Amino acid sequence: SVPIGIAAAVYIGEIAPKRVREILKPGIEMVAAIPSVVVGFIGLVTLAPLLQKMLNLSSGTVALTGAIMLAFMALPTIVSIAEDALASVPKEYKSASLAMGATPWQTVWRVQLPAARSGVLAAVMLGIGRAIGETMTVLMVTGNAFAQVRSIGGHDAHVMPYTLFQSVRTMTATIAAEMGETVHYSQHYSTLFMLGLVLFLITFVINLVADIALHKVAHQ
């Protein structure tokens, strides 16, 4: 979603005609407002059967399906914020670059994107945060299975999924699926809270890295 999102932001902000831009910009923001359960349902009834048929899988509700749907959900956030960042670059930068003989593509790639990189980085970080915190969509389209039974040395053993073509269960989906049925203050209950803490730490690290990068860019 990152390269596609940034490319779409450049197209909307710098290449698309005004009439096309006035249609695409609100349309992308409307896509961002689609509820997660609706996105999950669309993935379940359209993308999952398609991948199952194309890749000859036993089930279409696999990790790859969830990854594609998460990329789709992160895309509007990246496009919208990155386009706003490009729009905030002073027009004088573009005019000066074109006056120096640079092509429009060179101006975008060498002048406008570097000038807007703090906003583009923020867009990417917000898109990653949207994907990490998503629950309902991955709960519906990834198969909701955290281990598979396989024969190892003649004995059945639980094996964690290790490819994108297997069903998985994310940490957010595990909390959502099991919290309502677990016994309060049991080991299971504490484990689910531990998963929540791990998710919090992951989000904290991502935000910390983004903050450091933004401050580094601001001081350059």
Side-chain angles (χ1 to χ4, degrees):
S1 63
V2 172
I4 295 175
I6 295 175
V10 170
Y11 173 76
I12 294 172
E14 302 297 330
I15 300 174
K18 183 178 180 181
R19 182 174 299 179
V20 175
R21 186 183 304 120
E22 291 176 350
I23 296 174
L24 289 179
K25 180 71 172 177
I28 290 173
E29 293 175 351
M30 287 179 63
V31 171
I34 298 176
S36 300
V37 67
V38 176
V39 176
F41 179 75
I42 293 173
L44 188 63
V45 300
T46 58
L47 183 61
L50 178 63
L51 290 179
Q52 181 180 4
K53 183 178 180 180
M54 290 177 57
L55 303 176
N56 194 25
L57 302 173
S58 59
S59 172
T61 53
V62 294
L64 180 61
T65 309
I68 294 174
M69 297 311 298
L70 287 179
F72 171 77
M73 295 182 70
L75 200 57
T77 301
I78 296 174
V79 173
S80 182
I81 299 177
E83 196 276 330
D84 290 340
L86 287 170
S88 67
V89 176
K91 299 299 181 183
E92 290 80 3
Y93 287 21
K94 180 178 181 180
S95 300
S97 176
L98 294 174
M100 293 288 290
T103 65
W105 170 246
Q106 290 173 329
T107 299
V108 171
W109 181 250
R110 298 294 182 88
V111 177
Q112 292 179 279
L113 276 177
R117 56 185 169 182
S118 60
V120 172
L121 180 60
V124 172
M125 291 298 104
L126 287 172
I128 292 175
R130 174 76 190 274
I132 288 177
E134 184 51 47
T135 302
M136 285 306 301
T137 299
V138 292
L139 183 64
M140 297 173 68
V141 302
T142 59
N144 200 26
F146 62 88
Q148 296 181 353
V149 178
R150 288 189 176 183
S151 178
I152 300 178
H155 301 281
D156 289 340
H158 290 281
V159 180
M160 295 293 289
Y162 59 90
T163 74
L164 287 174
F165 306 110
Q166 291 180 285
S167 296
V168 297
R169 175 186 283 186
T170 66
M171 289 188 287
T172 52
T174 300
I175 295 172
E178 299 182 8
M179 182 59 77
E181 300 178 357
T182 186
V183 178
H184 279 214
Y185 307 111
S186 64
Q187 186 175 7
H188 187 186
Y189 187 78
S190 301
T191 302
L192 294 179
F193 270 92
M194 186 64 192
L195 283 178
L197 178 61
V198 172
L199 283 170
F200 170 76
L201 290 176
I202 292 173
T203 306
F204 176 79
V205 169
I206 290 174
N207 288 332
L208 181 63
V209 171
D211 189 64
I212 293 173
L214 289 174
H215 280 82
K216 184 178 180 180
V217 169
H219 286 87
Q220 288 180 350

